[in-house]
């Protein structure tokens, strides 16, 4: 399945610090992966309009039942407002029924470092997992 490449809804101010989130999701079944993937366009559309969104991307491995997300925000509050609004809110609740595993990591970077690379996101997710 194709990835959704980095998109920039609003440019961050030069010199600003941005709040970054990377996540990894693994579904329990292939049907769950298809359901997860079919929700992606609505969530991406939501991000494009979300106040404080400075970037987002999705790496979808539907047949492998694994998804990585990457996003950059004005601050933590902007991310949380997005997460609590629709369609993300109901989609994430519904995903719990078919999710096997999920992991999240957060950090800040200067806006000049956007877009974040997948290598950086995967490294940080792996470090988080090793911390358990």
């Amino acid at each position: 399945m194709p990835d959704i490449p980095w998109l920039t809804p609003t440019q961050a101010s030069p010199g600003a610090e941005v709040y970054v989130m990377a996540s990894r999701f693994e579904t329990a079944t292939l049907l769950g992966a298809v359901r997860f993937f079919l929700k992606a366009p609505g969530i991406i559309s939501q991000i494009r309009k979300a106040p404080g969104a400075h970037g987002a991307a999705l790496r979808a491995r539907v047949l492998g039942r694994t998804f990585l997300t990457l996003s950059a925000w004005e601050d933590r509050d902007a991310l949380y407002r997005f997460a609590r609004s629709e369609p993300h809110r109901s989609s994430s609740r519904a995903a719990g029924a078919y999710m096997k595993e999920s992991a999240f990591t957060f950090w800040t970077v200067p806006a000049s470092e956007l877009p974040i690379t997948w290598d950086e996101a995967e490294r940080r997710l792996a470090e988080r997992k090793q911390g358990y």
Side-chain angles (χ1 to χ4, degrees):
M1 286 286 172
D3 293 343
I4 296 174
W6 187 265
L7 59 98
T8 306
T10 58
Q11 199 71 29
S13 299
E17 285 281 310
V18 296
Y19 190 72
V20 178
M21 181 195 79
S23 62
R24 182 182 182 281
F25 300 97
E26 183 181 348
T27 63
T29 65
L30 184 56
L31 179 58
V34 170
R35 287 180 178 161
F36 188 96
F37 186 72
L38 291 175
K39 298 282 186 182
I43 304 300
I44 294 297
S45 178
Q46 179 187 1
I47 290 171
R48 288 182 193 274
K49 301 172 197 165
H54 295 311
L58 171 70
R59 179 168 275 179
R61 301 296 179 255
V62 176
L63 296 178
R65 303 184 338 265
T66 304
F67 301 85
L68 297 174
T69 72
L70 186 54
S71 59
W73 301 87
E74 178 178 86
D75 55 26
R76 189 176 77 168
D77 290 340
L79 169 60
Y80 288 1
R81 280 190 305 273
F82 162 78
R84 289 189 307 261
S85 61
E86 295 299 336
H88 185 274
R89 180 180 176 189
S90 58
S91 293
S92 62
R93 286 185 177 168
Y98 49 82
M99 202 57 61
K100 178 179 178 182
E101 182 179 299
S102 59
F104 302 86
T105 189
F106 307 88
W107 70 99
T108 59
V109 298
S112 61
E113 292 186 19
L114 296 179
I116 304 297
T117 66
W118 284 116
D119 287 343
E120 176 70 6
E122 290 184 52
R123 182 185 67 77
R124 288 180 179 266
L125 284 163
E127 285 176 358
R128 184 195 171 281
K129 192 171 188 176
Q130 291 173 0
Y132 285 116

